[in-house]
Amino acid sequence: MTKTVEFFFDLGSPASYLAWTQLPGICARHDATLRYRPMLLGGVFQATGNASPAAVPAKARHTMIDMQRFARRYGVTMHFNPYFPINTLTLMRGAIGVQLRQPERFGAYLDAMFRALWQDKRNLGDPAVVAAVLQEAGFDPQALLALVGDQEVKDALKAATEEAVKRGVFGAPTCFVGEEMYFGQDRLDFVEEALA
């Protein structure tokens, strides 16, 4: 039986970005399916009483140092985004909308958004910048904007976020292998062990 890794994430989470760079390889090594689960991290924080490490200055400084250590270990580019934190409601509705309506373009969407945020340091809180990133990635910005406003898409993101909270998620990224939950990109070794 093929194992599945459920990857609950938010594009605005630098730790989600790091996990995104590693999980496809981990799953490929163990013939596992990677199931992307977009959620709204702000909604998770609100429901659980959790907060971003950025809310605690000393923790924020250390977290970014630690993220750079992991980026070097993984051999990936990562730059702190000076516009962090960004309200990701539109971005995450876009993610779930593309996943629902254009699944063949979902990987391209994630690639464009994660790279814009965590490699190119672009301000994805600015609608004009988001439109430019989408266009560069071959998307029609107006069509995506319409998709983001679609009630089915809004409901799907809300339902995914509520499901995450019900399953015990309090931050991003969170992975599940079966019923076992692993929080944080620094727990990917446990995810890999669960697949082995």
Side-chain angles (χ1 to χ4, degrees):
M1 186 172 117
T2 304
K3 289 191 174 178
T4 298
V5 176
E6 290 182 86
F7 172 44
F8 284 89
F9 70 95
D10 186 301
L11 290 161
S13 155
S16 289
Y17 162 72
L18 287 172
W20 169 76
T21 69
Q22 300 306 300
L23 281 167
I26 290 170
C27 289
R29 284 194 293 277
H30 298 282
D31 197 27
T33 301
L34 179 54
R35 185 172 173 217
Y36 292 92
R37 303 296 312 273
M39 66 175 188
L40 187 63
L41 186 55
V44 170
F45 284 165
Q46 190 173 26
T48 62
N50 195 9
S52 168
V56 182
K59 189 172 186 180
R61 280 190 301 277
H62 178 73
T63 298
M64 288 318 296
I65 291 167
D66 218 32
M67 298 278 177
Q68 288 300 331
R69 288 176 180 146
F70 275 100
R72 283 192 300 275
R73 175 176 285 172
Y74 297 155
V76 299
T77 301
M78 181 177 188
H79 300 294
F80 178 72
N81 191 309
Y83 304 102
F84 178 83
I86 288 171
N87 181 332
T88 58
L89 179 61
T90 298
L91 305 180
M92 296 313 296
R93 282 181 180 165
I96 213 155
V98 172
Q99 190 178 45
L100 286 171
R101 305 278 176 79
Q102 298 177 295
E104 72 285 355
R105 298 282 288 137
F106 182 66
Y109 181 85
L110 290 188
D111 188 69
M113 294 299 145
F114 270 132
R115 288 181 191 280
L117 279 165
W118 302 112
Q119 291 183 14
D120 303 334
K121 302 188 281 187
R122 293 174 80 173
N123 181 6
L124 296 193
D126 180 339
V129 176
V130 174
V133 170
L134 289 169
Q135 194 146 19
E136 290 159 17
F139 288 92
D140 175 349
Q142 291 307 317
L144 219 2
L145 192 61
L147 187 61
V148 162
D150 184 287
Q151 194 59 51
E152 182 189 7
V153 169
K154 292 178 180 180
D155 291 345
L157 181 59
K158 185 177 179 187
T161 303
E162 288 172 352
E163 180 194 339
V165 170
K166 282 182 188 155
R167 291 177 67 183
V169 172
F170 54 86
T174 299
C175 293
F176 286 89
V177 179
E179 293 307 308
E180 287 294 313
M181 183 176 102
Y182 304 92
F183 167 69
Q185 67 81 29
D186 53 347
R187 300 295 186 271
L188 295 180
D189 53 342
F190 288 114
V191 172
E192 187 148 23
E193 282 174 18
L195 296 174

